[in-house]
Amino acid sequence: MVKTIAVVPTENGWKYLQQLCKHWSHKLDVELGEKSGIVRFSEAVAAMSADDKALTVEIEAASVEVLERMQGVASSHLDRFAFREAPLPFEWQAA
């Protein structure tokens, strides 16, 4: 398994996290908690949390190829919900 993490500065992280979890809950296993969410894909898991200053997205995947694909999936979906702020500054780091 490989992991990556991005801390994205935004005051609207919780709003975007909720929208993304609701969007993906139609087809995926999603858990939405208090200021956090987990989305389970077939070959990856995305764990997200939010506070007043940032949205943190951590992805764990079965391979580097899947990890890179999921980075694009997560960032493009979040940019759609954050259209007033997009593109959000994702700086993915190995975790």
Side-chain angles (χ1 to χ4, degrees):
M1 298 295 275
V2 289
K3 280 186 175 183
T4 188
I5 190 168
V7 179
V8 182
T10 177
E11 294 178 0
N12 298 303
W14 176 233
K15 175 183 165 185
Y16 303 149
L17 189 158
Q18 290 177 83
Q19 288 175 307
L20 189 59
C21 284
K22 190 177 287 189
H23 172 75
W24 277 336
S25 70
H26 298 288
K27 294 187 178 183
L28 301 166
D29 179 23
V30 174
E31 293 176 36
L32 184 59
E34 191 171 321
K35 301 285 185 180
S36 67
I38 297 173
V39 182
R40 289 178 180 79
F41 298 89
S42 61
E43 297 181 283
V45 175
M48 300 169 284
S49 62
D51 61 27
D52 295 340
K53 297 182 182 181
L55 171 64
T56 301
V57 181
E58 184 172 339
I59 300 172
E60 184 173 12
S63 68
V64 172
E65 293 79 17
V66 172
L67 186 71
E68 290 173 353
R69 183 168 36 95
M70 294 311 301
Q71 287 173 332
V73 168
S75 60
S76 67
H77 277 75
L78 284 164
D79 276 344
R80 277 188 238 156
F81 294 121
F83 63 92
R84 288 184 181 94
E85 292 184 74
L88 294 172
F90 284 86
E91 292 186 26
W92 297 101
Q93 305 289 322

